[in-house]
Amino acid sequence: DGGITQSPKYLFRKEGQNVTLSCEQNLNHDAMYWYRQDPGQGLRLIYYSQIVNDFQKGDIAEGYSVSREKKESFPLTVTSAQKNPTAFYLCASRSTENTEAFFGQGTRLTVV
Amino acid sequence: AQSVSQHNHHVILSEAASLELGCNYSYGGTVNLFWYVQYPGQHLQLLLKYFSGDPLVKGIKGFEAEFIKSKFSFNLRKPSVQWSDTAEYFCAASQAAGNKLTFGGGTRVLVKP
């Protein structure tokens, strides 16, 4: 089946540790996105990538890093510099700017 | 900066009532507009989208939205809601010639049976 796979669904980490969230898509989409969803704040854009080996900061990029070495994959690293990392993280992709985005099921990260 | 704002954080209404959710965007130029829905425990799904043409857009499950360029608005409507419409609704926008996709803060809708 075509779609976007985020793993794991739940992730627990100790404060001060970096953690990487996985996002894979087999839709052959060029653009990929990472959002953070917090209650009452909607979806806030962390990073996005329009093509392989290129990515841009979104609105809340501080404390996060990404890579786009393959078209299918766009992993997000939550670093120890992120002050409030506990959140629900959503990955999305879309074909071009004139199409809708498709979303993964999300990863809930809890930092203790 | 490009932004999307949704006027209501929470809406509570009874079944068969009409629903209208406000959305405003701050982009200049040509924009693409979207409404997504997130049912409890499910991933985001597209309700409808506007790229060009008829400003009144019809989506799934009886939803529609109207693009009013002069007001920078893209409000979502449904004439008669059902209990199953209980969900969180998100408005989103991107420039027609760009890939940055920005979402609003979301509106939680609770439909009482």
Side-chain angles (χ1 to χ4, degrees):
Chain A
D1 282 8
I4 301 173
T5 302
Q6 290 187 243
S7 61
K9 193 171 180 180
Y10 299 96
L11 190 54
F12 295 86
R13 278 296 182 269
K14 290 185 177 178
E15 197 171 332
Q17 291 181 335
N18 292 357
V19 60
T20 298
L21 281 59
S22 170
C23 178
E24 304 276 332
Q25 55 100 358
N26 60 6
L27 300 167
N28 199 32
H29 286 171
D30 287 314
M32 296 187 73
Y33 304 81
W34 274 106
Y35 293 91
R36 172 180 171 141
Q37 185 176 12
D38 297 283
Q41 299 195 58
L43 276 68
R44 292 182 290 166
L45 181 63
I46 304 173
Y47 269 97
Y48 66 107
S49 168
Q50 299 182 76
I51 55 172
V52 174
N53 293 323
D54 185 49
F55 47 83
Q56 288 80 41
K57 290 182 179 180
D59 301 312
I60 56 164
E62 186 174 347
Y64 299 98
S65 66
V66 293
S67 63
R68 187 86 187 275
E69 297 175 2
K70 298 187 298 181
K71 189 175 185 178
E72 308 79 41
S73 178
F74 191 42
L76 173 74
T77 296
V78 184
T79 75
S80 56
Q82 168 49 232
K83 292 184 172 58
N84 186 18
T86 294
F88 188 57
Y89 291 88
L90 284 165
C91 179
S93 70
R94 64 174 176 169
S95 179
T96 69
E97 58 266 21
N98 288 329
T99 58
E100 69 265 31
F102 293 84
F103 283 82
Q105 294 276 21
T107 292
R108 187 166 297 280
L109 172 65
T110 302
V111 175
V112 296
Chain B
Q2 299 164 340
S3 67
V4 177
S5 61
Q6 294 182 236
H7 311 304
N8 309 97
H9 293 298
H10 292 92
V11 171
I12 301 174
L13 58 166
S14 299
E15 277 193 314
S18 64
L19 173 70
E20 180 160 0
L21 303 181
C23 172
N24 286 92
Y25 60 93
S26 67
Y27 292 61
T30 305
V31 294
N32 295 330
L33 296 159
F34 309 86
W35 275 99
Y36 283 82
V37 61
Q38 188 176 37
Y39 297 105
Q42 297 187 27
H43 60 87
L44 271 88
Q45 305 171 34
L46 182 72
L47 271 180
L48 46 78
K49 60 191 177 187
Y50 174 80
F51 295 148
S52 63
D54 188 344
L56 187 61
V57 180
K58 295 200 182 298
I60 62 171
K61 306 190 182 194
F63 285 91
E64 64 179 31
E66 184 175 12
F67 169 58
I68 303 180
K69 189 175 182 179
S70 61
K71 295 184 178 181
F72 296 89
S73 70
F74 189 56
N75 292 354
L76 181 71
R77 298 194 290 251
K78 185 169 183 178
S80 176
V81 295
Q82 300 171 312
W83 175 80
S84 57
D85 293 320
T86 293
E88 189 160 15
Y89 294 81
F90 296 94
C91 181
S94 67
Q95 300 257 227
N99 258 315
K100 186 179 182 184
L101 179 61
T102 301
F103 282 76
T107 299
R108 285 186 182 269
V109 174
L110 173 62
V111 179
K112 298 185 293 183

